[in-house]
Amino acid sequence: DERDRVQKKTFTKWINSHLQQVRMNIGDLYEDLRDGQALISLLESLSGDCIIREKGRLRVHHVQNIQIVLNYLQHQQVKLVNIRKEDIVDGNPKLTLGLIWTIILHYQVSAGQVGGGTPGRERLLAWARLVAKDVPGLSCHNFSSSWRDGRLLCAIVHAHRPGLVDLEEVRRRGARQNLEEALSLAESELGVPRLLDPEDVDVDAPDEKSIITYVSALHNALHNHKVVSSIPDGVIRTALRHWLSEYWQLAASLRVWIEERTITLKSRTFPYSIDKLMVMQKEHALMKNSEFPKKKAELLQLEEVYKSMEEAVQACLIKTVPPPPPPPVRTVWGGLHVQVRYREVILRSNFKKLEMLQRLAQKMEVDTNTCAEGLNKVYEALQADVALINSGRVPQHGEEISRCLSEIEVFVQSLYPDVRTLTDGGCSQPELLQSRLRRLEEQVASLRAEHAKITAHAGEGARSRSRDEAQLQAASSQQDQTAAAYLQELLTWVQSNQATVDKSGYGKDLDETTALLEEQKALHQTIENFRSSLGEAQETMQSVSQGSRYDYSKSLDKLEQQYSKLLNGSRARLGLLENQQGFLRRCQREMLWLTQREEREVAYDWSDLNPDLEPKKEAYALLVRELEQREPAFREVVQAGEDLVGEGHPGNPTIQ
């Protein structure tokens, strides 16, 4: 293709510029390198070494010579990827170009690399940018389109030999004329081989490897022959001050972020809810997997800027403005990494602890329900004995009732250590657990007293039975009925609000979601305040007669269970609404930015009526940079939405 054609042309000229020292020349890059002779002569010219070669003309000799070339390059620590000797001997175009590019990179582009630091490509780009800073309207972003109009090459020639180039004339001329002048002057006045032709550069996308080959040859020719830059020291100092300002701003911003994150990571305050802890884990994972890589890239950029300043100072032979050493961000970054790992350990530990507490709470739920079922059976047995006594027969379940009540009493006592464990672990509503155990104990005591009463009167006659019936009927006093009605009223309130929580939606937009959130906050506060009514119902049980206390206790237990369900459901809905509101706010913020940016682009005159191309390029480059800077935020919002959908958030339609 066209790119391969330009590379072949450039690489052929580059090889001939070095082979002329040994009076050799190649015409066809793919054919004339097949025997390995020209390649060995090229390496000898570049390295100054003497390399033994095979002089025969058979294919086996050609293969051996190419193998000698590959072995020598590997010995010089040149990395060769998927290049076989047979490919070069067969004249494979792609791999032949790849081999020559590898040699150019090693012997020319990376030659003179400072301290093994910045790669040669970046060093060349920094050098070109420093030159471009002195020319209004000129910039260097890459090794392709930035060189197309020839102005950058002319600026480099002017920087070293001001009398050769008139930059005002360059600004008015076309690309072909500028390229022709720069290439011709560099060859005749600076001794740089003419590796490029104007028609190869003045295209939509000039070949990057060809440009790098020529620019590195230009750079090395200037500096190897000690051609002193004529860029005024003041301009260089101004450029370096600009870099230093950017450098310190980046360093300060990065350090502030590291210190803020370190404070967050050192916090040892964790929620007592598994759901909230899972949210905290996801936020930590998002920071580690999204924020961290971006900030790590900024850290690498900071270090790269520092190296680039060093390289720029040395490239321009200016020793009076050395860049400062980098700030201790790397040290602080290492401390942050330690905190991240420690935070993960603590989160896992807390998660395991909460899972254990949750299992213990579930076990207590099962155990207390088992006790309640046992007391129901005791109550049924007790009623059966009452029926037997009233019919003049002997009660049959006395021993069984006594044994069951003793076993349940012991079992309830054994649950108190579990309650303390849950309380110490920060379990929510520990008073409800303790209240339930106390109520079980009261039910045991009530049933035991009733059993004792029945046993004491088991031998009395009809008059005694009448008296017992009167006592049992007295248990249904007006006070007991009032207490039961109040308890039913509380239960109805809980059930009504449970239906409200279950049926309420999550809003179709941010405003509706915010309104629902405010309503839910008010409702949740009302539900929290209901604890006082629940406490009054628990206190009322003390005034309920012995005969009605068991039924009242069962109803109270049902009320507490349903209230606990309502409270947890309300709290969960509150969290879901907050999550949805936060997501929609982030969406709205990003959409507002996009809308405002779109309005700016629509208002800008991109038409042919605005002939000034440079402002258009700068405006477009600014738009691309802003979009690239904003893209991580866009991705984070999208990821947050996908996480909510993946978790089964009930506001899925709105989020989607």
Side-chain angles (χ1 to χ4, degrees), residues 284-295 632 635-636:
H284 180 80
L286 182 64
M287 181 192 71
K288 180 181 176 183
N289 299 325
S290 179
E291 276 190 81
F292 245 65
K294 185 170 69 174
K295 295 301 178 180
R635 289 181 177 174
E636 287 178 9

Side-chain angles (χ1 to χ4, degrees), residues 371-441:
C371 289
E373 291 173 2
L375 290 175
N376 283 337
K377 292 179 180 179
V378 169
Y379 179 76
E380 291 171 358
L382 194 61
Q383 293 302 311
D385 278 355
V386 169
L388 289 173
I389 292 173
N390 289 338
S391 63
R393 288 179 290 175
V394 178
Q396 301 294 320
H397 305 93
E399 294 183 3
E400 180 185 354
I401 291 173
S402 296
R403 177 177 56 79
C404 288
L405 288 175
S406 297
E407 290 175 353
I408 292 173
E409 186 175 31
V410 171
F411 189 67
V412 169
Q413 290 296 323
S414 71
L415 294 179
Y416 274 104
D418 290 344
V419 174
R420 285 193 292 272
T421 300
L422 291 171
T423 304
D424 295 341
C427 178
S428 60
Q429 308 170 17
E431 65 278 0
L432 292 178
L433 296 172
Q434 292 179 342
S435 173
R436 191 166 187 186
L437 291 182
R438 285 196 297 269
R439 192 161 57 256
L440 286 172
E441 289 180 323

Side-chain angles (χ1 to χ4, degrees), residues 551-598:
D551 291 332
Y552 186 91
S553 176
K554 287 178 61 178
S555 298
L556 183 59
D557 191 37
K558 180 180 179 181
L559 173 64
E560 288 182 348
Q561 291 182 14
Q562 294 199 10
Y563 173 67
S564 177
K565 178 184 176 183
L566 172 63
L567 186 62
N568 291 331
S570 174
R571 187 180 292 116
R573 173 173 160 77
L574 193 63
L576 291 169
L577 283 169
E578 288 173 345
N579 290 342
Q580 180 168 313
Q581 183 197 49
F583 170 74
L584 293 177
R585 279 179 174 170
R586 293 172 68 184
C587 285
Q588 186 183 63
R589 184 168 60 249
E590 301 307 324
M591 288 299 297
L592 179 62
W593 182 88
L594 286 171
T595 302
Q596 293 173 343
R597 198 64 179 86
E598 183 181 25

